[in-house]
Amino acid sequence: MTSQFQLVMRTGPVPGTVYPLEGEQLTIGRDPSNPIHIADAEVSRRHARLMLQGGRYVLEDLGSTNGTFVNGRRISAPYVLKPGDVISLGESISLVFEAVTFDPGATVVSPSAKATVAAPPPAAAVPPARPAAPAPAPYPAPTPVPPMAPPAAPTERKFPLPILIAVLAFLLLLCACGGFLWWVDATYRWCTFFPFLFPGACP
């Protein structure tokens, strides 16, 4: 059994496009000279690079304008990819990194084999039927990316009850003082309550 890696476009100009990864170094970009060519304005001419190291691909950003992201996080250093990782280029391009496992012996057919037509053998000489070859293993499904949790709503700041009571008491006291001064002025009782304000004028 051998493994082969590929990128599958999830969102972008042509969703569903498969890019087989073959080679020790592959570049991704808007320029047609890149092995992985993506014609989109958000992709830089040479956006990112894939390098095969120890049987695994390492992703590196090449100073792109809109950035390279893996599973929603922008990378600033080489990142070792794992099957199921989602690579985002800018805001509208996303690619899923997948590992494809297959059995070469079950799929390769010898080119020298030729179809021949022969008369069927006698009934007594028919050999027993051989069991059917096992079907190749299905491609592993990409690991789903968990949705990002929405930001927590800011909590409302409640006005403390003691401060509210103090403010109401102050307003009541202020109103009482104002009412008292108005009554003193309306009944001409300044000399009765505040004789020190009018020295010599009050008897």
Side-chain angles (χ1 to χ4, degrees):
M1 303 289 285
T2 60
S3 297
Q4 179 181 357
F5 300 99
Q6 65 184 16
L7 294 178
V8 180
M9 181 176 290
R10 176 180 291 179
T11 60
V14 188
T17 303
V18 179
Y19 301 94
L21 303 183
E22 299 177 353
E24 297 184 355
Q25 182 169 308
L26 302 167
T27 55
I28 306 172
R30 191 178 70 248
D31 193 282
S33 62
N34 292 284
I36 301 177
H37 171 227
I38 301 176
D40 191 275
E42 289 196 17
V43 181
S44 299
R45 295 177 64 85
R46 294 183 77 251
H47 197 105
R49 175 170 52 197
L50 288 166
M51 296 173 292
L52 186 62
Q53 297 180 0
R56 296 188 294 180
Y57 274 98
V58 179
L59 178 65
E60 180 183 10
D61 185 78
L62 297 178
S64 61
T65 302
N66 295 318
T68 302
F69 302 79
V70 177
N71 299 331
R73 294 185 178 181
R74 186 165 186 167
I75 62 171
S76 56
Y79 179 90
V80 179
L81 292 172
K82 302 179 294 298
D85 283 344
V86 178
I87 303 170
S88 301
L89 311 177
E91 296 182 357
S92 61
I93 309 297
S94 63
L95 305 163
V96 181
F97 179 75
E98 295 181 353
V100 181
T101 304
F102 62 95
D103 185 359
T107 57
V108 177
V109 179
S110 174
S112 60
K114 296 183 180 179
T116 57
V117 178
V126 175
R130 295 183 180 180
Y139 292 167
T143 305
V145 179
M148 298 183 66
T155 57
E156 296 183 358
R157 304 181 68 179
K158 297 183 178 180
F159 204 67
L161 184 59
I163 296 179
L164 181 61
I165 294 175
V167 171
L168 292 176
F170 176 74
L171 292 177
L172 290 174
L173 179 62
L174 189 63
C175 292
C177 292
F180 175 73
L181 292 176
W182 175 84
W183 176 76
V184 168
D185 184 67
T187 57
Y188 303 100
R189 296 177 184 270
W190 290 101
C191 289
T192 303
F193 294 98
F194 306 102
F196 58 87
L197 296 177
F198 307 96
C202 295

